[in-house]
Amino acid sequence: GNLRAFAAFRWDEYDWQVVPATEIPTQTNAYDCGVHVMMTAWCLAKNKPVWFETRRMPEYRQLIANAMINDTA
């Protein structure tokens, strides 16, 4: 599935693009860092604006868990 393909992919750091982090949501507590990283990565991977709401972290946790369990993204 998608997760297996992602894990098997060989990255070439020369193909990476630096994205300025000037207008992304900021973490306001000590426990949502993983969700912020995952949501930022998802937005970048989907070529969408990096925008999400801190108040919706529980919802994003569920979306991430469902994507991992169901092998979807």
Side-chain angles (χ1 to χ4, degrees):
N2 292 338
L3 291 176
R4 286 186 193 95
F6 178 79
F9 187 79
R10 298 294 174 226
W11 298 98
D12 183 355
E13 65 272 13
Y14 297 106
D15 291 335
W16 291 20
Q17 177 183 2
V18 175
V19 178
T22 56
E23 296 185 21
I24 63 171
T26 55
Q27 183 180 339
T28 58
N29 57 40
Y31 48 85
D32 284 334
C33 53
V35 180
H36 274 263
V37 169
M38 295 292 289
M39 290 302 297
T40 300
W42 181 84
C43 290
L44 293 172
K46 296 290 186 177
N47 202 26
K48 295 183 178 283
V50 179
W51 184 86
F52 46 90
E53 299 175 85
T54 300
R55 66 182 176 84
R56 295 178 65 191
M57 288 296 133
E59 179 183 341
Y60 300 141
R61 273 191 187 84
Q62 189 65 49
L63 289 171
I64 293 166
N66 287 342
M68 293 173 75
I69 290 168
N70 297 315
D71 200 17
T72 61

